[in-house]
Amino acid sequence: NPRALFKGGYLRKGGGIIAASVAGAGKSTFSIQCALHWVMGKPCFGIAPVRELRTAIIQAEDDMEELAMFKANMRKGLNAEGWTDEQIRQAQSRLIFRKDFLGKTGEDFAECLKAMQRAEHFDLVIVNPLNSYFEGDVSLNADATAFFRKMIDPVIKAKDTECGILFIHHSGKPPKGKDAALFGKGAFAQYSMQGAAELNNWARAVLVLYPFENNTEFWTLTAAKRHKPLGWTDADGKPTKDFVIAYSSDYVYWRTPSAEEIAEARSSAQTTATPKQEEETPSAAALRFAKYICDNYPDGISLTLARQIARDVVKRKNSETVMGWLTHNPMQYGLKIEPRTDTGKDGRRRTAKYLLPKGDALPLDAATGQPHEQAAQTIDEIISDRDAAADTSQDEPDGADDEG
């Protein structure tokens, strides 16, 4: 099939891939490294071409000095993979860099792409980055539809200009809260890239590159959309969306680590990860503070002092809620409220309310509705200690009847 580009039907002429990652990840290195392999008909990171692909890179990020640096580092990396100097020379001579697209966006970019294809007939065109040639707001579906479907598709699908196209793109900012852990991973990976949902809808395939947690040497390349044609498998031989790659320590080059390195990196990431602290609910905070009162103030604590201490024992935002629950329904938490009259320094007598343990009302667990075991045990110990103290403080008269 002359329209086929990659094995398994992963991509044919007329289709597009979007590959996204964070700023500074090494997307340019990744794209050049892949292209050098593909022009020689060699697989790169589990993506295998069906033949030697005539490839052009349209890029706006790297100047000539940067490209020269890439060329030198690629030579070292390819030599380490076993390539001969002649193979490297051939690959670098076949890969074409186009700088004549500078400043071209939207329809102007599409017209230049059409003219290039009519003259050169490349199999694959890599565009780095998308935002340099996109016209409009990439976060708006209407603008994305206009660019991809009205400007790009007519060029890459037309018989005289058809080709495959790979856009290099940036990921968006990670969300906050509970969704942050899912960002860039699994079924949510394709939605981590910057822009409207139309980017995912248009792309025939989506690749996302994200680092291991707590180990930025190792990165996961996720085939977020259309992974089955790649035929990737994990260490157990099971199908997977993920392909692990890593930085080379000696030069600017991505490498494929061994299974042992990957296992060690994953283990290290898990052991060094900071466990996520679940936020304490107000009901749990109330139970904990009730236990704190039983442990530290068996003789009672004034409500005024309890409010002050609650701000330190439980989160400040929960302290007023906790004190409200303890004062309105103290028996549920194994407490009681009693008024006490004290004489102040000025000699005046004042009545204040006190919170103190109440042994016959065990605190209930808010989740189960059953007595809270730890608090109940604490209260029982307090009562037992009080009874023992009372017994030892009163001598039993001689000859007293046991029953009496």
Side-chain angles (χ1 to χ4, degrees):
N1 182 358
R3 298 185 67 250
L5 298 177
F6 295 98
K7 292 181 179 180
Y10 182 62
L11 186 72
R12 299 180 182 89
K13 291 181 179 180
I17 302 174
I18 298 180
S21 188
V22 296
K27 297 185 292 296
S28 294
T29 303
F30 175 83
S31 62
I32 296 172
Q33 191 171 332
C34 285
L36 286 171
H37 283 74
W38 294 339
V39 296
M40 297 295 288
K42 295 178 179 289
C44 189
F45 308 130
I47 306 174
V50 296
R51 62 179 182 279
E52 297 173 354
L53 300 181
R54 296 196 68 247
T55 304
I57 294 181
I58 300 170
Q59 65 91 31
E61 287 203 332
D62 309 305
D63 56 26
M64 297 306 294
E65 291 182 2
E66 193 83 5
L67 291 175
M69 183 271 292
F70 284 139
K71 185 176 180 179
N73 280 274
M74 291 294 158
R75 177 175 291 276
K76 295 177 183 178
L78 293 170
N79 274 145
E81 286 187 19
W83 287 38
T84 66
D85 289 342
E86 177 59 22
Q87 286 177 316
I88 296 172
R89 187 196 65 77
Q90 287 183 18
Q92 291 181 338
S93 65
R94 291 178 184 180
L95 180 59
I96 306 300
F97 286 85
R98 299 293 297 252
K99 299 287 289 184
D100 51 333
F101 283 73
L102 190 64
K104 306 295 184 181
T105 62
E107 291 184 358
D108 289 342
F109 173 79
E111 286 300 318
C112 287
L113 180 63
K114 183 191 296 183
M116 181 185 75
Q117 279 302 98
R118 281 177 174 166
E120 303 290 345
H121 300 289
F122 289 107
D123 295 314
L124 179 68
V125 177
I126 299 175
V127 182
N128 181 27
L130 167 64
N131 283 343
S132 291
Y133 306 100
F134 187 92
E135 187 172 71
D137 187 342
V138 75
S139 66
L140 296 179
N141 276 323
D143 288 356
T145 297
F147 180 76
F148 289 111
R149 301 192 187 275
K150 295 183 179 180
M151 302 174 196
I152 300 302
D153 276 353
V155 177
I156 65 174
K157 295 181 185 296
K159 192 170 183 179
D160 61 334
T161 57
E162 67 177 357
C163 64
I165 193 164
L166 167 59
F167 285 102
I168 305 299
H169 192 34
H170 292 277
S171 61
K173 293 181 179 180
K176 296 180 180 179
K178 63 181 181 180
D179 294 330
L182 301 174
F183 190 69
K185 300 176 182 177
F188 298 90
Q190 67 194 83
Y191 298 105
S192 61
M193 64 182 175
Q194 185 184 97
E198 177 67 349
L199 273 70
N200 289 289
N201 298 335
W202 170 83
R204 188 70 177 126
V206 174
L207 295 170
V208 177
L209 185 62
Y210 268 87
F212 275 28
E213 186 175 1
N214 299 317
N215 190 335
T216 54
E217 179 186 351
F218 290 79
W219 292 64
T220 300
L221 177 64
T222 300
K225 183 178 179 181
R226 197 169 171 77
H227 69 283
K228 291 183 179 180
L230 294 173
W232 291 349
T233 56
D234 60 18
D236 298 323
K238 297 179 180 178
T240 181
K241 290 184 175 183
D242 299 332
F243 191 100
V244 177
I245 62 178
Y247 288 140
S248 171
S249 58
D250 300 321
Y251 28 77
V252 181
Y253 194 80
W254 289 98
R255 63 185 181 88
T256 302
S258 66
E260 291 75 16
E261 286 182 289
I262 295 171
E264 183 178 351
R266 281 182 171 148
S267 175
S268 174
Q270 291 172 357
T271 55
T272 58
T274 303
K276 185 179 179 180
Q277 298 290 330
E278 291 188 5
E279 188 172 345
E280 187 178 42
T281 63
S283 58
L287 286 169
R288 186 164 63 85
F289 190 50
K291 181 180 182 301
Y292 179 87
I293 292 174
C294 293
D295 288 345
N296 296 279
Y297 297 92
D299 294 325
I301 180 175
S302 70
L303 292 183
T304 301
L305 181 58
R307 286 191 175 90
Q308 296 175 0
I309 294 175
R311 294 171 184 166
D312 297 324
V313 176
V314 301
K315 284 191 175 182
R316 183 175 291 270
K317 69 176 184 178
N318 287 338
S319 61
E320 289 300 322
T321 302
V322 165
M323 286 304 301
W325 288 357
L326 295 188
T327 54
H328 284 87
N329 194 7
M331 294 187 65
Q332 180 177 348
Y333 300 95
L335 303 173
K336 66 178 180 180
I337 294 180
E338 69 175 28
R340 292 182 182 176
T341 302
D342 297 321
T343 302
K345 293 182 180 180
D346 57 0
R348 294 182 179 181
R349 294 177 63 80
R350 295 181 177 86
T351 299
K353 292 182 178 180
Y354 277 69
L355 272 174
L356 65 158
K358 180 173 175 60
D360 59 351
L362 300 182
L364 301 180
D365 189 308
T368 64
Q370 301 299 317
H372 191 263
E373 294 181 0
Q374 289 183 331
Q377 183 181 5
T378 303
I379 295 170
D380 289 341
E381 289 174 353
I382 293 170
I383 296 171
S384 177
D385 292 343
R386 282 183 174 178
D387 291 345
D391 290 342
T392 55
S393 64
Q394 296 179 3
D395 292 331
E396 194 172 1
D398 292 340
D401 190 309
D402 284 345
E403 289 187 14

